[in-house]
Coordinates of all heavy atoms in Angstrom, one line a residue:
M1 N -23.2 24.1 32.4 CA -22.1 24.8 31.7 C -20.7 24.4 32.3 O -19.8 24.3 31.5 CB -22.3 26.3 31.8 CG -21.4 27.2 31.0 SD -21.8 26.9 29.3 CE -20.9 28.1 28.5
A2 N -20.7 24.2 33.6 CA -19.4 23.8 34.2 C -19.0 22.4 33.8 O -17.8 22.1 33.6 CB -19.6 23.9 35.7
T3 N -20.0 21.6 33.6 CA -19.8 20.2 33.1 C -19.2 20.2 31.7 O -18.2 19.5 31.4 CB -21.1 19.4 33.2 OG1 -21.6 19.5 34.4 CG2 -20.8 18.0 32.8
L4 N -19.7 21.1 30.9 CA -19.2 21.2 29.5 C -17.7 21.7 29.5 O -16.9 21.2 28.8 CB -20.0 22.1 28.7 CG -19.6 22.3 27.2 CD1 -19.6 21.0 26.5 CD2 -20.5 23.4 26.5
R5 N -17.4 22.7 30.3 CA -16.0 23.2 30.4 C -15.1 22.1 31.0 O -14.0 22.0 30.5 CB -16.0 24.4 31.4 CG -16.6 25.6 30.7 CD -16.4 26.8 31.7 NE -17.0 28.0 31.1 CZ -17.3 29.1 31.7 NH1 -17.0 29.2 33.0 NH2 -17.9 30.1 31.1
L6 N -15.6 21.3 31.9 CA -14.7 20.3 32.5 C -14.5 19.2 31.4 O -13.4 18.7 31.3 CB -15.4 19.7 33.7 CG -14.7 18.5 34.4 CD1 -13.3 19.1 34.9 CD2 -15.5 18.0 35.5
L7 N -15.5 18.9 30.6 CA -15.4 17.9 29.6 C -14.4 18.4 28.5 O -13.5 17.6 28.1 CB -16.7 17.6 29.0 CG -16.8 16.6 27.8 CD1 -16.3 15.2 28.3 CD2 -18.1 16.5 27.2
L8 N -14.5 19.6 28.1 CA -13.6 20.2 27.1 C -12.2 20.2 27.6 O -11.2 19.9 26.9 CB -14.1 21.6 26.7 CG -15.3 21.6 25.8 CD1 -15.8 23.1 25.6 CD2 -15.2 20.9 24.5
A9 N -12.0 20.5 28.9 CA -10.6 20.5 29.4 C -10.1 19.1 29.5 O -8.9 18.9 29.2 CB -10.7 21.1 30.8
A10 N -10.9 18.1 29.8 CA -10.4 16.8 29.8 C -10.0 16.3 28.4 O -9.0 15.6 28.2 CB -11.5 15.8 30.4
V11 N -10.8 16.6 27.4 CA -10.5 16.2 26.0 C -9.2 16.9 25.6 O -8.4 16.3 25.0 CB -11.7 16.6 25.1 CG1 -11.3 16.4 23.7 CG2 -12.9 15.7 25.4
A12 N -9.1 18.2 25.9 CA -7.8 18.9 25.5 C -6.6 18.3 26.2 O -5.6 18.1 25.6 CB -8.0 20.4 25.8
A13 N -6.7 17.9 27.5 CA -5.6 17.3 28.2 C -5.2 16.0 27.6 O -4.1 15.7 27.4 CB -6.0 17.2 29.7
L14 N -6.2 15.2 27.3 CA -6.0 13.9 26.7 C -5.3 14.0 25.3 O -4.4 13.3 24.9 CB -7.2 13.0 26.6 CG -7.8 12.5 27.9 CD1 -9.1 11.8 27.6 CD2 -6.8 11.5 28.5
G15 N -5.8 15.0 24.5 CA -5.2 15.2 23.2 C -3.8 15.7 23.3 O -2.9 15.2 22.5
L16 N -3.5 16.5 24.2 CA -2.1 17.0 24.4 C -1.2 15.9 24.9 O 0.0 15.8 24.6 CB -2.0 18.2 25.3 CG -2.6 19.5 24.7 CD1 -2.6 20.6 25.7 CD2 -1.8 19.9 23.5
A17 N -1.7 15.1 25.8 CA -0.9 14.0 26.3 C -0.6 12.9 25.3 O 0.5 12.3 25.3 CB -1.7 13.3 27.4
G18 N -1.4 12.8 24.2 CA -1.1 11.8 23.2 C -0.2 12.4 22.1 O 0.2 11.6 21.2
C19 N 0.2 13.6 22.1 CA 1.1 14.2 21.1 C 2.6 14.0 21.4 O 3.0 14.2 22.5 CB 0.8 15.7 21.0 SG -0.8 16.1 20.4
G20 N 3.3 13.6 20.4 CA 4.8 13.5 20.5 C 5.2 12.3 21.4 O 4.4 11.6 22.0
G21 N 6.5 12.1 21.4 CA 7.1 11.0 22.2 C 7.0 9.6 21.7 O 7.6 8.7 22.2
G22 N 6.2 9.4 20.6 CA 6.0 8.1 20.1 C 7.0 7.8 19.0 O 7.8 8.7 18.6
P23 N 7.0 6.6 18.4 CA 7.8 6.3 17.3 C 7.5 7.2 16.1 O 6.4 7.6 15.9 CB 7.6 4.8 17.1 CG 6.3 4.5 17.7 CD 6.1 5.5 18.8
A24 N 8.5 7.3 15.2 CA 8.3 8.1 14.0 C 7.3 7.3 13.1 O 7.1 6.1 13.3 CB 9.6 8.3 13.2
E25 N 6.7 8.0 12.1 CA 5.7 7.4 11.2 C 6.4 6.3 10.5 O 7.5 6.5 10.0 CB 5.2 8.4 10.3 CG 4.1 7.9 9.4 CD 3.5 9.0 8.5 OE1 3.5 10.1 8.8 OE2 3.0 8.6 7.4
G26 N 5.8 5.2 10.4 CA 6.3 4.0 9.7 C 7.3 3.2 10.5 O 7.9 2.3 10.0
E27 N 7.3 3.4 11.8 CA 8.1 2.7 12.7 C 7.3 2.1 13.9 O 6.3 2.7 14.3 CB 9.2 3.5 13.3 CG 10.3 3.9 12.3 CD 11.4 4.7 12.9 OE1 11.4 4.9 14.1 OE2 12.4 5.0 12.2
V28 N 7.7 1.0 14.4 CA 7.1 0.4 15.6 C 8.3 0.2 16.6 O 9.2 -0.6 16.2 CB 6.4 -0.9 15.3 CG1 5.9 -1.5 16.6 CG2 5.2 -0.6 14.4
Q29 N 8.3 0.9 17.7 CA 9.4 0.7 18.7 C 10.7 0.9 18.1 O 11.7 0.1 18.3 CB 9.2 -0.6 19.4 CG 7.9 -0.8 20.2 CD 7.8 -2.1 20.8 OE1 8.6 -3.0 20.6 NE2 6.7 -2.2 21.6
G30 N 10.9 1.8 17.2 CA 12.2 2.1 16.6 C 12.6 1.3 15.4 O 13.6 1.4 14.8
R31 N 11.7 0.3 15.0 CA 12.0 -0.6 13.9 C 11.1 -0.2 12.7 O 10.0 0.1 12.9 CB 11.7 -2.1 14.3 CG 12.6 -2.6 15.4 CD 12.3 -4.0 15.7 NE 10.9 -4.2 16.0 CZ 10.2 -5.2 15.7 NH1 10.7 -6.2 15.0 NH2 8.9 -5.3 16.0
A32 N 11.7 -0.3 11.6 CA 10.9 0.1 10.4 C 9.9 -1.0 10.1 O 10.1 -2.2 10.2 CB 11.8 0.2 9.2
L33 N 8.7 -0.6 9.7 CA 7.6 -1.5 9.3 C 7.9 -2.1 8.0 O 7.5 -3.3 7.7 CB 6.3 -0.8 9.3 CG 5.7 -0.5 10.7 CD1 4.4 0.3 10.5 CD2 5.4 -1.7 11.5
F34 N 8.4 -1.3 7.1 CA 8.7 -1.8 5.7 C 10.0 -1.2 5.2 O 10.3 0.0 5.4 CB 7.5 -1.2 4.8 CG 7.7 -1.6 3.3 CD1 7.4 -2.9 2.9 CD2 8.2 -0.7 2.4 CE1 7.6 -3.2 1.6 CE2 8.4 -1.0 1.1 CZ 8.1 -2.3 0.7
V35 N 10.8 -2.1 4.7 CA 12.1 -1.7 4.1 C 12.0 -2.1 2.6 O 11.8 -3.2 2.3 CB 13.3 -2.4 4.8 CG1 14.6 -2.0 4.1 CG2 13.3 -2.0 6.3
D36 N 12.2 -1.1 1.7 CA 12.1 -1.3 0.3 C 13.4 -2.0 -0.2 O 14.5 -1.4 -0.2 CB 11.9 0.0 -0.4 CG 11.7 -0.2 -1.9 OD1 11.7 -1.4 -2.4 OD2 11.4 0.8 -2.6
R37 N 13.3 -3.3 -0.5 CA 14.5 -4.0 -0.9 C 14.3 -4.6 -2.4 O 14.9 -5.6 -2.7 CB 14.8 -5.2 0.0 CG 15.2 -4.7 1.4 CD 15.9 -5.7 2.2 NE 16.5 -5.2 3.3 CZ 16.2 -5.5 4.6 NH1 15.3 -6.4 4.8 NH2 16.8 -4.9 5.6
A38 N 13.5 -3.9 -3.1 CA 13.2 -4.4 -4.5 C 14.4 -4.4 -5.4 O 14.7 -5.4 -6.0 CB 12.1 -3.6 -5.1
A39 N 15.1 -3.3 -5.3 CA 16.3 -3.2 -6.2 C 17.4 -4.2 -5.9 O 18.0 -4.9 -6.8 CB 16.9 -1.8 -6.1
E40 N 17.6 -4.4 -4.6 CA 18.7 -5.4 -4.2 C 18.3 -6.8 -4.4 O 19.2 -7.7 -4.5 CB 19.1 -5.2 -2.7 CG 18.1 -5.6 -1.7 CD 18.5 -5.3 -0.3 OE1 18.7 -4.1 0.0 OE2 18.6 -6.2 0.5
T41 N 17.0 -7.1 -4.6 CA 16.6 -8.5 -4.9 C 16.4 -8.7 -6.4 O 16.0 -9.8 -6.8 CB 15.3 -8.9 -4.2 OG1 14.3 -7.9 -4.6 CG2 15.5 -8.8 -2.7
G42 N 16.5 -7.7 -7.2 CA 16.4 -7.8 -8.6 C 14.9 -7.6 -9.1 O 14.6 -7.9 -10.3
L43 N 14.1 -7.1 -8.3 CA 12.7 -6.9 -8.7 C 12.6 -5.5 -9.3 O 12.7 -4.5 -8.7 CB 11.7 -6.9 -7.5 CG 10.3 -6.7 -7.7 CD1 9.7 -7.8 -8.6 CD2 9.5 -6.7 -6.4
N44 N 12.4 -5.5 -10.6 CA 12.3 -4.3 -11.4 C 11.0 -4.4 -12.2 O 10.9 -5.2 -13.2 CB 13.5 -4.2 -12.4 CG 13.4 -2.9 -13.2 OD1 12.6 -2.0 -12.9 ND2 14.2 -2.8 -14.2
F45 N 9.9 -3.7 -11.8 CA 8.6 -3.8 -12.4 C 8.0 -2.5 -12.6 O 8.0 -1.6 -11.7 CB 7.7 -4.7 -11.5 CG 6.3 -4.9 -12.0 CD1 6.1 -5.8 -13.0 CD2 5.3 -4.1 -11.5 CE1 4.8 -6.0 -13.5 CE2 4.0 -4.3 -12.0 CZ 3.7 -5.2 -13.0
T46 N 7.5 -2.2 -13.8 CA 6.7 -1.0 -14.0 C 5.3 -1.4 -14.6 O 5.3 -2.1 -15.6 CB 7.4 -0.1 -15.0 OG1 8.7 0.3 -14.5 CG2 6.6 1.2 -15.3
H47 N 4.3 -1.1 -13.9 CA 2.9 -1.5 -14.3 C 2.4 -0.7 -15.5 O 2.6 0.5 -15.5 CB 2.0 -1.4 -13.1 CG 0.6 -1.7 -13.5 ND1 0.2 -3.0 -13.8 CD2 -0.5 -0.9 -13.7 CE1 -1.1 -3.0 -14.1 NE2 -1.6 -1.7 -14.1
F48 N 1.9 -1.4 -16.5 CA 1.2 -0.8 -17.6 C -0.2 -1.3 -17.6 O -0.4 -2.5 -17.7 CB 2.0 -1.1 -18.9 CG 1.3 -0.7 -20.1 CD1 1.2 0.6 -20.5 CD2 0.6 -1.6 -20.9 CE1 0.5 1.1 -21.6 CE2 -0.1 -1.2 -22.1 CZ -0.1 0.1 -22.4
N49 N -1.2 -0.4 -17.6 CA -2.6 -0.9 -17.5 C -3.2 -0.9 -18.9 O -4.4 -1.3 -19.0 CB -3.4 -0.1 -16.5 CG -3.6 1.4 -17.0 OD1 -3.0 1.8 -18.0 ND2 -4.4 2.1 -16.2
G50 N -2.6 -0.4 -19.9 CA -3.2 -0.5 -21.2 C -4.1 0.7 -21.5 O -5.0 0.5 -22.3
S51 N -4.0 1.8 -20.8 CA -4.9 2.9 -20.9 C -5.0 3.4 -22.4 O -4.0 3.6 -23.0 CB -4.5 4.1 -20.1 OG -4.6 3.7 -18.7
T52 N -6.2 3.5 -22.8 CA -6.5 4.1 -24.2 C -7.3 5.3 -24.0 O -7.6 6.0 -25.0 CB -7.2 3.0 -25.1 OG1 -8.5 2.7 -24.4 CG2 -6.4 1.8 -25.3
G53 N -7.9 5.6 -22.9 CA -8.8 6.7 -22.7 C -10.2 6.3 -22.9 O -11.1 7.2 -22.8
K54 N -10.5 5.1 -23.3 CA -11.9 4.7 -23.6 C -12.6 4.1 -22.3 O -13.7 3.7 -22.3 CB -11.9 3.6 -24.7 CG -11.5 4.2 -26.0 CD -11.6 3.2 -27.1 CE -11.2 3.9 -28.4 NZ -11.2 3.0 -29.5
L55 N -11.8 4.1 -21.2 CA -12.3 3.7 -19.9 C -12.9 2.3 -19.9 O -14.0 2.0 -19.4 CB -13.4 4.7 -19.4 CG -12.9 6.1 -19.2 CD1 -14.0 7.0 -18.7 CD2 -11.7 6.2 -18.3
Y56 N -12.2 1.4 -20.5 CA -12.5 0.0 -20.3 C -12.4 -0.3 -18.8 O -11.6 0.3 -18.1 CB -11.5 -0.9 -21.1 CG -11.6 -0.8 -22.6 CD1 -10.5 -0.3 -23.3 CD2 -12.8 -1.1 -23.3 CE1 -10.6 -0.2 -24.7 CE2 -12.9 -1.0 -24.7 CZ -11.8 -0.5 -25.4 OH -11.9 -0.4 -26.7
Y57 N -13.2 -1.4 -18.4 CA -13.2 -1.7 -17.0 C -11.8 -2.0 -16.4 O -11.5 -1.6 -15.3 CB -14.1 -2.9 -16.8 CG -14.4 -3.2 -15.4 CD1 -15.1 -2.3 -14.5 CD2 -14.0 -4.4 -14.8 CE1 -15.3 -2.6 -13.2 CE2 -14.2 -4.7 -13.5 CZ -14.9 -3.8 -12.7 OH -15.1 -4.1 -11.4
S58 N -11.0 -2.7 -17.2 CA -9.7 -3.0 -16.7 C -8.7 -1.8 -16.6 O -7.7 -1.8 -15.9 CB -9.0 -4.1 -17.5 OG -8.9 -3.7 -18.8
E59 N -9.1 -0.8 -17.3 CA -8.2 0.5 -17.3 C -8.5 1.2 -16.0 O -7.6 1.9 -15.5 CB -8.6 1.4 -18.5 CG -8.1 0.9 -19.8 CD -8.4 1.9 -20.9 OE1 -9.0 2.9 -20.6 OE2 -8.1 1.5 -22.0
I60 N -9.7 1.2 -15.5 CA -10.0 1.9 -14.3 C -9.8 1.2 -13.0 O -9.9 1.7 -11.9 CB -11.5 2.5 -14.4 CG1 -12.5 1.4 -14.5 CG2 -11.6 3.5 -15.5 CD1 -13.9 1.9 -14.5
M61 N -9.6 -0.1 -13.1 CA -9.3 -0.9 -11.9 C -7.8 -0.8 -11.6 O -7.0 -0.6 -12.4 CB -9.6 -2.4 -12.2 CG -11.0 -2.6 -12.5 SD -11.8 -4.0 -11.6 CE -10.7 -4.7 -10.6
G62 N -7.5 -0.9 -10.3 CA -6.1 -0.9 -9.9 C -5.3 -2.1 -10.2 O -5.9 -3.2 -10.6
A63 N -4.0 -2.1 -10.1 CA -3.2 -3.2 -10.4 C -3.3 -4.2 -9.2 O -3.8 -3.9 -8.1 CB -1.7 -2.8 -10.5
G64 N -2.9 -5.4 -9.5 CA -2.9 -6.5 -8.5 C -1.6 -7.1 -8.2 O -0.7 -6.9 -9.0
G65 N -1.5 -7.8 -7.2 CA -0.3 -8.5 -6.9 C -0.5 -9.5 -5.7 O -1.5 -9.4 -5.0
A66 N 0.4 -10.4 -5.5 CA 0.3 -11.3 -4.4 C 1.7 -11.7 -4.0 O 2.7 -11.7 -4.7 CB -0.4 -12.6 -4.9
L67 N 1.8 -12.1 -2.7 CA 3.0 -12.6 -2.1 C 2.6 -14.0 -1.6 O 1.7 -14.2 -0.8 CB 3.5 -11.8 -0.9 CG 3.9 -10.4 -1.3 CD1 4.2 -9.6 0.0 CD2 5.2 -10.4 -2.1
F68 N 3.3 -15.0 -2.1 CA 3.0 -16.4 -1.7 C 4.2 -17.3 -2.0 O 5.1 -16.9 -2.8 CB 1.7 -17.0 -2.3 CG 1.7 -17.0 -3.8 CD1 1.9 -18.2 -4.4 CD2 1.5 -15.9 -4.5 CE1 1.9 -18.2 -5.8 CE2 1.4 -15.9 -5.9 CZ 1.6 -17.1 -6.5
D69 N 4.3 -18.4 -1.4 CA 5.5 -19.3 -1.5 C 5.2 -20.3 -2.6 O 4.7 -21.4 -2.3 CB 5.8 -19.9 -0.2 CG 7.1 -20.7 -0.3 OD1 7.9 -20.6 -1.3 OD2 7.4 -21.4 0.7
V70 N 5.5 -20.0 -3.9 CA 5.2 -20.9 -5.0 C 6.0 -22.2 -5.0 O 5.5 -23.3 -5.1 CB 5.5 -20.2 -6.4 CG1 5.2 -21.1 -7.5 CG2 4.6 -19.0 -6.5
D71 N 7.3 -22.1 -4.7 CA 8.2 -23.2 -4.8 C 8.4 -23.9 -3.4 O 9.3 -24.8 -3.3 CB 9.5 -22.8 -5.4 CG 10.1 -21.6 -4.8 OD1 9.6 -21.1 -3.8 OD2 11.1 -21.1 -5.3
N72 N 7.7 -23.5 -2.4 CA 7.8 -24.1 -1.1 C 9.2 -24.1 -0.5 O 9.6 -25.1 0.1 CB 7.2 -25.5 -1.1 CG 6.7 -26.0 0.2 OD1 6.4 -25.2 1.1 ND2 6.6 -27.3 0.4
D73 N 9.9 -23.0 -0.7 CA 11.3 -22.9 -0.1 C 11.3 -22.1 1.1 O 12.4 -21.8 1.7 CB 12.2 -22.3 -1.2 CG 11.9 -20.9 -1.6 OD1 10.9 -20.4 -1.1 OD2 12.7 -20.3 -2.3
G74 N 10.2 -21.6 1.6 CA 10.1 -20.8 2.8 C 10.2 -19.3 2.6 O 10.1 -18.5 3.5
D75 N 10.5 -18.9 1.4 CA 10.6 -17.5 1.1 C 9.4 -17.1 0.3 O 8.9 -17.8 -0.6 CB 11.8 -17.2 0.2 CG 13.1 -17.4 1.0 OD1 13.1 -17.2 2.2 OD2 14.1 -17.8 0.4
L76 N 8.9 -15.8 0.5 CA 7.7 -15.4 -0.3 C 8.2 -15.0 -1.7 O 9.2 -14.4 -1.9 CB 7.1 -14.1 0.4 CG 6.4 -14.4 1.7 CD1 5.9 -13.0 2.3 CD2 5.2 -15.3 1.5
D77 N 7.4 -15.4 -2.6 CA 7.6 -15.1 -4.0 C 6.6 -14.0 -4.4 O 5.5 -13.9 -3.8 CB 7.4 -16.3 -4.9 CG 8.4 -17.4 -4.5 OD1 9.6 -17.2 -4.5 OD2 7.9 -18.6 -4.3
V78 N 6.9 -13.2 -5.4 CA 6.1 -12.1 -5.8 C 5.4 -12.4 -7.1 O 6.1 -12.8 -8.1 CB 7.0 -10.8 -5.9 CG1 6.1 -9.6 -6.3 CG2 7.7 -10.5 -4.7
F79 N 4.1 -12.1 -7.2 CA 3.4 -12.2 -8.4 C 2.7 -10.9 -8.7 O 1.9 -10.4 -7.9 CB 2.3 -13.3 -8.3 CG 1.4 -13.4 -9.5 CD1 1.9 -14.0 -10.7 CD2 0.1 -12.9 -9.5 CE1 1.1 -14.1 -11.8 CE2 -0.7 -13.0 -10.7 CZ -0.2 -13.6 -11.8
L80 N 3.1 -10.2 -9.8 CA 2.5 -8.9 -10.1 C 1.8 -9.0 -11.4 O 2.2 -9.6 -12.4 CB 3.7 -7.9 -10.2 CG 4.5 -7.7 -9.0 CD1 5.7 -6.8 -9.2 CD2 3.6 -7.1 -7.9
V81 N 0.6 -8.4 -11.5 CA -0.2 -8.4 -12.6 C 0.1 -7.3 -13.6 O 0.3 -6.2 -13.2 CB -1.7 -8.3 -12.2 CG1 -2.6 -8.3 -13.4 CG2 -2.1 -9.4 -11.2
Q82 N 0.3 -7.7 -14.9 CA 0.6 -6.7 -15.9 C -0.6 -6.6 -16.9 O -1.4 -7.5 -17.0 CB 1.8 -7.2 -16.7 CG 2.4 -6.2 -17.7 CD 2.8 -4.9 -17.1 OE1 2.0 -4.1 -16.6 NE2 4.1 -4.6 -17.0
G83 N -0.7 -5.4 -17.5 CA -1.8 -5.2 -18.4 C -1.3 -5.1 -19.8 O -0.1 -5.3 -20.1
R84 N -2.2 -4.9 -20.8 CA -1.8 -4.7 -22.1 C -2.9 -3.8 -22.8 O -4.0 -3.7 -22.2 CB -1.7 -6.0 -22.9 CG -3.0 -6.7 -23.1 CD -2.7 -8.0 -23.9 NE -3.9 -8.7 -24.2 CZ -4.7 -8.5 -25.3 NH1 -4.3 -7.6 -26.1 NH2 -5.8 -9.1 -25.5
S85 N -2.7 -3.3 -23.9 CA -3.6 -2.4 -24.6 C -4.8 -3.3 -25.1 O -4.6 -4.4 -25.7 CB -3.0 -1.8 -25.8 OG -3.9 -1.0 -26.5
L86 N -6.0 -2.8 -24.8 CA -7.2 -3.5 -25.2 C -7.8 -3.0 -26.5 O -8.7 -3.6 -27.1 CB -8.3 -3.4 -24.1 CG -7.9 -3.9 -22.8 CD1 -9.0 -3.6 -21.8 CD2 -7.7 -5.4 -22.9
D87 N -7.2 -1.9 -27.0 CA -7.7 -1.3 -28.3 C -7.1 -2.0 -29.4 O -5.8 -2.1 -29.5 CB -7.3 0.2 -28.3 CG -8.0 0.9 -29.4 OD1 -8.8 0.4 -30.1 OD2 -7.7 2.1 -29.6
P88 N -7.8 -2.6 -30.3 CA -7.2 -3.3 -31.5 C -6.4 -2.5 -32.4 O -5.5 -3.0 -33.0 CB -8.4 -3.9 -32.2 CG -9.6 -3.3 -31.6 CD -9.3 -2.6 -30.4
A89 N -6.6 -1.2 -32.4 CA -5.8 -0.3 -33.2 C -4.5 -0.1 -32.6 O -3.5 0.1 -33.2 CB -6.5 1.1 -33.4

């Protein structure tokens, strides 16, 4: 029983020691992990998956995208997948 109490006290102490004092969520050492610069670079995209309610496979799958250097200029280019309606009506 004493061993269990000692173990619980150690776990509680470690848990409390790990709380607070660290960087804010989304930051590493005070630097932002991600800065949204879509608008300033002219990236304006709204995904349309073609939902008709018939639950076609492509309607229930998530959107896709890729970052790669297409023109070999050293900057990442953005490729975003767009959908369309699959219902002939």
Side-chain angles (χ1 to χ4, degrees):
M1 190 68 171
T3 305
L4 180 59
R5 286 184 184 165
L6 181 61
L7 179 63
L8 290 174
V11 169
L14 287 173
L16 290 174
C19 294
E25 185 176 335
E27 291 185 357
V28 173
Q29 298 176 354
R31 295 180 306 144
L33 288 174
F34 178 79
V35 177
D36 186 358
R37 294 202 169 117
E40 71 185 57
T41 59
L43 180 62
N44 182 13
F45 179 79
T46 302
H47 175 69
F48 172 72
N49 68 353
S51 290
T52 61
K54 295 185 179 179
L55 299 180
Y56 294 117
Y57 188 64
S58 60
E59 290 180 5
I60 58 176
M61 298 225 4
L67 297 173
F68 59 103
D69 189 7
V70 176
D71 51 7
N72 204 22
D73 64 355
D75 294 327
L76 288 177
D77 300 308
V78 181
F79 176 76
L80 299 170
V81 180
Q82 187 60 290
R84 68 178 185 89
S85 180
L86 299 173
D87 190 7

